[in-house]
């Protein structure tokens, strides 16, 4: 992954997301109940505090130490303790199931879009919606396009949509995604 991303809206954090699949996956996990930019800055904060982002070091850290690292201001999340535990659980799962190589989730055995979606949904902390958004992010912004990925990603895979983080490429598109979410929330309240 050597593409340019603009998810954290901060060049160094975005460079890490583009270069390191673990950072991107962690950012996606953190993307709940906080602004998207803060979520995707979280991996850079962790990397800075640990001297790099290493799935094995994270998995093997004591829970107390990792929670403290995540909670130190500025905390990586609104709920840093529970999110630190989720990140460690995800790191351990990646080691057990994918030899610690995140890209194996979407490359091992040359899977199609349905299989990648199934694998993403199996990740700790990833439900159906988060998995579909991440699959769309891989396809739209990182050139990871297994056969049938758009269909597997559902509406998130649509060309030109402004539904999710998968569609954020700059400050303007971030605003458009926020407007879409605001409108969808308003429609849900009325419906």
């Amino acid at each position: 992954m050597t593409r340019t991303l603009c998810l954290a809206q901060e060049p160094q954090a975005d460079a890490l997301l583009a270069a390191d699949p673990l950072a991107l996956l962690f950012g996606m996990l953190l993307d709940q109940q906080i602004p998207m930019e803060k979520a995707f800055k979280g991996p850079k904060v962790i990397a800075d505090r640990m001297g790099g982002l290493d799935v094995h070091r994270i998995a093997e850290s004591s829970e107390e130490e990792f929670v403290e690292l995540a909670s130190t201001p500025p905390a990586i999340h609104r709920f840093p303790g529970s999110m630190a535990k989720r990140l460690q659980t995800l790191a351990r799962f990646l080691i057990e199931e994918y030899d610690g190589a995140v890209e194996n989730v979407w490359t091992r055995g040359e899977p199609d879009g349905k299989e990648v979606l199934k694998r993403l949904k199996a990740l700790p902390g990833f439900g159906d919606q988060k998995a579909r958004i991440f699959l769309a992010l891989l396809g739209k912004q990182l050139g990871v396009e297994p056969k049938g990925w758009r269909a597997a990603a559902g509406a998130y895979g649509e060309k030109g949509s402004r539904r999710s983080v998968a569609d954020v490429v700059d400050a303007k598109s971030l605003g458009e995604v926020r407007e879409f979410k605001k409108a969808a929330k308003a429609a849900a309240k009325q419906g």
Side-chain angles (χ1 to χ4, degrees):
M1 296 193 308
T2 56
R3 309 254 176 146
T4 300
L5 295 176
C6 198
L7 306 176
Q9 305 283 306
E10 194 277 307
Q12 290 182 330
D14 283 323
L16 177 64
L17 296 170
D20 187 339
L22 180 63
L24 191 63
L25 199 64
F26 274 11
M28 191 71 212
L29 181 65
L30 292 169
D31 189 18
Q32 56 190 34
Q33 300 181 330
I34 60 173
M36 179 200 82
E37 307 93 305
K38 177 153 179 73
F40 284 94
K41 285 178 189 170
K44 175 81 166 76
V45 172
I46 294 167
D48 289 348
R49 292 176 183 173
M50 293 187 86
L53 202 60
D54 181 279
V55 70
H56 295 279
R57 283 189 56 215
I58 292 166
E60 294 163 7
S61 293
S62 80
E63 185 178 291
E64 297 77 25
E65 288 174 358
F66 195 66
V67 165
E68 184 178 328
L69 177 139
S71 302
T72 301
I76 63 164
H77 195 274
R78 180 176 165 195
F79 304 110
S82 62
M83 294 310 287
K85 292 173 189 173
R86 288 183 182 186
L87 291 172
Q88 279 192 298
T89 299
L90 178 56
R92 291 177 185 129
F93 182 87
L94 291 167
I95 291 167
E96 289 171 16
E97 298 295 323
Y98 294 102
D99 304 317
V102 177
E103 53 278 326
N104 282 345
V105 174
W106 51 86
T107 61
R108 182 183 283 163
E110 298 183 35
D112 64 9
K114 280 185 184 177
E115 178 61 24
V116 174
L117 178 64
K118 179 180 167 187
R119 292 176 185 183
L120 289 168
K121 287 167 65 171
L123 296 174
F126 277 66
D128 182 69
Q129 185 177 26
K130 191 175 285 282
R132 289 178 191 277
I133 291 169
F134 194 79
L135 178 57
L137 176 61
L138 290 172
K140 288 180 172 184
Q141 296 201 42
L142 298 171
V144 175
E145 300 175 337
K147 184 177 180 181
W149 73 270
R150 283 191 191 274
Y156 298 107
E158 293 172 1
K159 285 184 181 180
S161 67
R162 291 290 184 256
R163 296 180 178 277
S164 72
V165 64
D167 303 310
V168 175
V169 295
D170 54 24
K172 181 178 185 269
S173 57
L174 173 60
E176 292 168 351
V177 167
R178 286 213 166 106
E179 284 302 313
F180 174 84
K181 288 182 176 185
K182 186 177 173 183
K185 202 177 255 188
K189 282 183 179 178
Q190 291 180 352

